[in-house]
Amino acid sequence: SRTDANFTIEKLPKGKELSSPSAPNSLASALTALSLADVKPASEVTEKPDVHATYRTFDGLVLELDGWTGEDKRFIAASAQYDAALAERFKVPSEDKEATKPSGDSEGAPASKEEADKPADESGTSAGAPPKQDVAAEAQKLHDTLNGWIYEVPEYKYDAIFKPLSEMLKK
C-alpha cells in the first residue's frame, strides 16, 4: 500500500519473518544516485547471471536487473517494462477526480486572472502544472536505452541492489 511506512518483500519463506519492519527499505533506495563506472555490449557476457532482482513501482514501472561478479568488478543488465495492471492496482483515487475536476470556482471559472492567462501545453494542462506522467512511455524509453548493455557499478551499490533475503530475516 502507498500508505505503508515500510517496503515489503513478497513471498517470504514459510515460518520466516523480517529482522525488522524496515529491513527491505534499503532495497528501495539501492538505485538512487546509481553511478556507472563502465559499459560494454551485452554480447560480451556469455555467462548466466549470478543474481536477479525485480523492482516494481506503484505507477506500474517494472525494472528487471541481472547481476554478475568477476575480476573484482560488479556488472548489471537492466530492462524496463510497464505493467498496467500493477498501476491500476495502486492507482491513487484522486487521479480520476483531477481529470474531471474543473479549475477555479464551482462554476468552472478560473480561480484568478493569472490562471486564466496560463497557456495550456500539448497535454492540456496549464503551464507550470506538473505534466501527467506517461509511465508506459518512460518504461519504453528506459528499455530502449538499457537494452543490449551491461553496466559496471560500484560494489556497494551492487550489494544493495541484490541484498540476499537471508540478510533481512530473523536468525
Side-chain angles (χ1 to χ4, degrees):
S1 168
R2 287 179 184 261
T3 59
D4 289 346
N6 294 300
F7 290 93
T8 60
I9 297 190
E10 295 180 356
K11 303 176 187 173
L12 280 176
K14 196 171 200 166
K16 299 288 184 178
E17 58 185 271
L18 294 171
S19 59
S20 75
S22 63
N25 291 353
S26 64
L27 291 172
S29 62
L31 298 176
T32 303
L34 180 63
S35 61
L36 307 173
D38 201 0
V39 63
K40 62 183 176 181
S43 59
E44 291 184 17
V45 177
T46 57
E47 303 87 26
K48 289 188 177 190
D50 299 322
V51 289
H52 179 82
T54 302
Y55 286 77
R56 294 178 182 91
T57 65
F58 289 121
D59 61 5
L61 180 66
V62 178
L63 191 61
E64 300 280 347
L65 298 163
D66 289 320
W68 293 264
T69 58
E71 304 170 17
D72 296 327
K73 294 183 178 184
R74 306 293 181 266
F75 300 94
I76 62 170
S79 66
Q81 59 194 27
Y82 176 67
D83 183 338
L86 180 65
E88 186 62 32
R89 178 177 159 202
F90 292 106
K91 188 175 187 178
V92 177
S94 65
E95 289 175 0
D96 287 333
K97 292 177 188 171
E98 291 297 320
T100 58
K101 180 179 144 184
S103 60
D105 64 23
S106 60
E107 302 299 315
S112 67
K113 180 175 180 346
E114 290 79 18
E115 184 178 325
D117 291 341
K118 283 184 185 175
D121 65 15
E122 290 138 18
S123 67
T125 60
S126 296
K132 285 282 184 191
Q133 191 175 25
D134 185 351
V135 181
E138 176 188 5
Q140 186 62 52
K141 183 177 178 185
L142 281 170
H143 175 77
D144 293 346
T145 301
L146 300 169
N147 190 36
W149 298 100
I150 306 291
Y151 302 91
E152 182 184 342
V153 297
E155 183 176 358
Y156 78 96
K157 280 295 190 174
Y158 182 94
D159 292 346
I161 293 167
F162 300 111
K163 186 174 187 176
L165 179 59
S166 61
E167 290 182 17
M168 293 181 272
L169 298 176
K170 285 186 178 178
K171 302 223 189 264

